[in-house]
């Protein structure tokens, strides 16, 4: 039995949606507390399944973690007591692989289960391992585990073939206490990387080039624990902006950092969207019928974010004309296409390009989420479709959207969670 949402769509929605802390910044920053002993306080942490999963893993490694309130935690690192991150924990969430960098920085050795692939792709970690080896780490892979060991971590120059978010985070965390300086060329530039680097610098690390594709990490002897507040989640913000555009601007989005999603905002403006942004509050001043078809290609930051590809596709289904989306980051990230087509969408797609012909409205149907962003895109469609829709496997959505049904109910949505067969 897994949980599903029953949504009676077609109702007008009106009110404010508040954006929580960024999942993909909170995860690496939590992991960063492994690097140095001491007591840390993290704030604006989103209340998500993935955070709870990571906390279990970090506790299995020896950290003592106390929840201070819904969005704040105290982490006590009195030393890592277990150097093995086991498969049963890592398989639940691939981001667990990020513990390797900090464990190498702290103990110069680590054994971490290879993360599985997932629905959207094979998700290899070759770039992570290439980075560690450049720092002098010996890597041995057997029985589904990566064993890493180093006499000393030495700074080096690393050039990534692809600006991998996870590989950049893992190698930065391994390099902060290495002997000498590490230069990472073609580093990922996502705002969550900046947040991790700012957190590490607050701990006393010496990282420059933050926000550029070249990170320079001058190794230091010791770091110190700190207090830190996580940035807002730009993907949740983008998802809520799509909802507002679908409901004629009746939804205000609180927690938008425009320069975190500049390419997304400008793409929507190209399609005729009109925004009013004051501080972190975004209002939509255009109507759905004013929007016209657009073309988008997912790219590493600062390009159009792959995590906003499926919510954008839901919107494109409802605008006049023929839109196009190209997915260049993951090899299998169109699983929401057949589900949206079950709801009356007109999308034809191959493995990397989707052509979307505008329709009047979705028709309610039973559908299934395949990953957290695809799940969000189906929920958006169900909120618009007249009648009762069911979105199955919403555990995917719980991983990345805090209290989504409560937030949607508060703005007028008819949505309930129930236990379903599939
Ligand atoms: C992070 O995943 C995010 N997850 C993903 O968000 C996001 O979609 C992705 O970055 C891209 O922005 C977290 O931050 C926890 P990558 P990550 O390494 O680090 C290939 C969500 O919805 N690659 O930049 O795994 C890889 O196969 C999730 O919140 C290699 O080939 O992304 C993929 O095709 C989904 N070798 C591409 O790079 C490697 O060693 C991007 O992966 C590493 C990656």
């Amino acid at each position: 039995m897994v949980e599903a949402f029953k949504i009676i769509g077609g109702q007008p929605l009106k009110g404010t949606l508040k954006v929580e802390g960024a999942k993909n910044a909170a995860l690496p920053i939590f992991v960063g507390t492994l690097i140095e002993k001491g007591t840390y306080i993290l704030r604006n942490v989103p209340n998500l399944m993935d955070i709870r999963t990571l906390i279990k893993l970090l506790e299995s490694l020896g950290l003592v973690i106390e929840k201070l309130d819904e969005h704040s935690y105290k982490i006590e690192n009195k030393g890592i007591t277990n150097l093995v991150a086991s498969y049963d924990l890592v398989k639940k969430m691939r981001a667990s692989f990020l513990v390797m960098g900090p464990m190498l920085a702290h103990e110069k050795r680590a054994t971490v289960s290879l993360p599985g692939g997932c629905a959207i792709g094979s998700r290899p970690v070759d770039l992570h391992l290439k980075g560690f080896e450049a720092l002098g780490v010996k890597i041995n892979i057997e029985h589904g585990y990566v064993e890493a060991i180093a006499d000393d971590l030495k700074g080096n120059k690393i050039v990534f073939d692809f600006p991998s978010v996870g590989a950049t985070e893992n190698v930065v965390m391994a390099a902060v206490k290495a002997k000498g300086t590490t230069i990472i060329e073609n580093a990922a530039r996502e705002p969550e990387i900046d947040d991790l680097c700012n957190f590490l610098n607050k701990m006393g690390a010496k990282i420059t080039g933050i926000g550029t594709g070249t990170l320079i990490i001058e190794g230091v002897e010791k770091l110190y624990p700190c207090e830190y507040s996580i940035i807002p989640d730009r993907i949740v913000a983008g998802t809520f902006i799509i909802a507002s555009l679908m409901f004629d601007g009746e939804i205000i989005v609180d927690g938008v950092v425009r320069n975190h999603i500049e390419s997304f905002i400008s793409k929507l403006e190209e399609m005729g969207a009109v925004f009013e942004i004051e501080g972190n509050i975004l209002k939509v001043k255009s109507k759905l019928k004013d929007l016209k078809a657009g073309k988008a290609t997912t790219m590493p930051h600062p390009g159009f974010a792959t995590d906003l590809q499926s919510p954008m596709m839901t919107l494109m289904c409802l605008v006049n004309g023929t839109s196009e989306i190209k997915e260049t980051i993951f090899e299998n990230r169109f699983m929401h296409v057949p589900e949206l087509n079950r709801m009356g969408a007109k999308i034809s797609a191959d493995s990397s390009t989707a052509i979307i012909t505008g329709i009047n409205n979705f028709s309610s149907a039973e559908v299934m989420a395949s990953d957290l962003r695809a799940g969000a895109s189906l929920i958006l469609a169900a909120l618009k479709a007249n009648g009762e829709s069911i979105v199955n496997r919403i555990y995917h959505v719980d991983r990345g959207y805090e209290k989504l049904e409560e937030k949607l109910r508060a703005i007028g949505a008819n949505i309930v969670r129930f236990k379903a067969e599939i």
Side-chain angles (χ1 to χ4, degrees):
M1 297 280 269
V2 289
E3 291 185 321
F5 280 151
K6 184 180 294 177
I7 296 167
I8 312 289
Q11 338 253 351
L13 299 184
K14 184 177 176 59
T16 297
L17 287 175
K18 179 104 178 75
V19 177
E20 63 264 27
K23 166 175 86 81
N24 292 347
L27 293 173
I29 288 170
F30 254 101
V31 168
T33 66
L34 284 167
I35 296 173
E36 196 67 79
K37 288 182 183 171
T39 302
Y40 302 75
I41 305 283
L42 297 182
R43 301 191 194 292
N44 200 35
V45 176
N47 177 4
L48 298 172
M49 182 68 74
D50 271 10
I51 297 294
R52 293 188 281 277
T53 303
L54 181 64
I55 286 172
K56 282 206 191 77
L57 171 62
L58 295 176
E59 287 173 336
S60 79
L61 301 179
L63 296 190
V64 175
I65 300 174
E66 180 194 341
K67 188 170 186 174
L68 302 175
D69 62 41
E70 186 183 8
H71 298 117
S72 308
Y73 290 83
K74 180 166 83 166
I75 297 120
E76 290 194 81
N77 176 346
K78 297 177 179 146
I80 299 176
T81 55
N82 166 19
L83 286 167
V84 178
S86 64
Y87 176 67
D88 64 314
L89 288 165
V90 173
K91 76 180 177 213
K92 290 197 184 82
M93 186 186 59
R94 336 182 37 270
S96 310
F97 195 71
L98 291 174
V99 302
M100 181 154 271
M103 286 166 80
L104 287 168
H106 189 285
E107 298 284 338
K108 299 193 180 55
R109 41 201 274 268
T111 300
V112 181
S113 165
L114 272 171
C118 72
I120 62 178
S122 61
R123 312 287 296 267
V125 290
D126 56 305
L127 297 176
H128 300 236
L129 304 183
K130 176 186 163 191
F132 293 144
E133 286 173 326
L135 300 179
V137 177
K138 299 272 173 298
I139 299 286
N140 176 37
I141 297 178
E142 57 182 10
H143 311 305
Y145 280 78
V146 178
E147 291 174 345
I149 193 154
D151 299 330
D152 254 336
L153 289 163
K154 291 194 187 64
N156 202 346
K157 180 169 181 180
I158 296 159
V159 183
F160 278 141
D161 306 339
F162 179 84
S164 154
V165 169
T168 301
E169 291 167 343
N170 232 338
V171 173
V172 164
M173 290 193 281
V176 288
K177 290 178 75 176
K179 289 190 171 29
T181 299
T182 298
I183 299 171
I184 304 177
E185 300 276 6
N186 199 24
R189 299 167 57 186
E190 275 71 1
E192 295 76 26
I193 306 267
D194 302 354
D195 214 23
L196 172 64
C197 292
N198 291 332
F199 165 73
L200 294 169
N201 278 350
K202 194 166 182 189
M203 285 176 64
K206 288 199 170 70
I207 305 168
T208 52
I210 297 173
T212 73
T214 300
L215 291 174
I216 301 166
I217 305 113
E218 190 188 327
V220 294
E221 283 282 307
K222 188 158 173 43
L223 294 172
Y224 301 88
C226 67
E227 294 203 18
Y228 196 78
S229 187
I230 310 289
I231 54 172
D233 192 311
R234 65 192 167 102
I235 306 303
V236 171
T239 308
F240 289 172
I241 290 168
I242 294 284
S244 184
L245 287 162
M246 289 169 65
F247 285 88
D248 290 336
E250 294 297 330
I251 299 168
I252 294 169
V253 184
D254 177 4
V256 174
V257 180
R258 178 173 185 138
N259 70 23
H260 287 175
I261 45 172
E262 191 57 61
S263 55
F264 175 71
I265 294 280
S266 55
K267 180 57 64 186
L268 290 168
E269 287 172 335
E270 266 174 46
M271 293 168 62
V274 178
F275 299 112
E276 184 187 282
I277 303 179
E278 273 172 44
N280 286 353
I281 306 285
L282 175 140
K283 289 179 185 160
V284 165
K285 309 308 268 184
S286 47
K287 303 278 181 226
L288 178 57
K289 63 176 176 40
D290 303 337
L291 302 185
K292 55 189 193 303
K295 277 189 166 188
T297 300
T298 64
M299 296 295 280
H301 195 78
F304 183 91
T306 174
D307 293 347
L308 288 171
Q309 179 254 106
S310 52
M312 174 65 103
M313 192 179 290
T314 296
L315 176 70
M316 286 175 159
C317 288
L318 297 175
V319 301
N320 295 325
T322 302
S323 298
E324 179 186 285
I325 286 192
K326 283 187 189 306
E327 172 58 59
T328 69
I329 305 295
F330 289 106
E331 62 263 34
N332 186 31
R333 205 168 195 179
F334 279 157
M335 283 160 298
H336 45 289
V337 168
E339 301 305 300
L340 287 170
N341 282 340
R342 280 178 52 74
M343 298 182 76
K346 286 192 174 47
I347 310 168
S348 63
D350 62 22
S351 62
S352 63
T353 303
I355 307 294
I356 304 112
T357 305
I359 59 171
N360 249 340
N361 193 6
F362 293 103
S363 67
S364 55
E366 182 162 1
V367 290
M368 185 181 293
S370 50
D371 73 84
L372 67 161
R373 310 304 171 186
S377 68
L378 296 173
I379 290 166
L380 291 172
L383 289 168
K384 202 70 190 167
N386 295 311
E388 179 181 296
S389 296
I390 305 282
V391 180
N392 287 299
R393 298 192 180 172
I394 46 125
Y395 60 83
H396 289 294
V397 180
D398 290 341
R399 293 188 53 183
Y401 291 90
E402 179 184 290
K403 294 184 172 172
L404 188 56
E405 75 258 41
E406 283 178 36
K407 290 184 178 178
L408 293 173
R409 263 204 293 274
I411 62 170
N414 183 333
I415 175 171
V416 287
R417 180 187 290 257
F418 69 99
K419 287 223 180 300
E421 287 308 310
I422 54 169

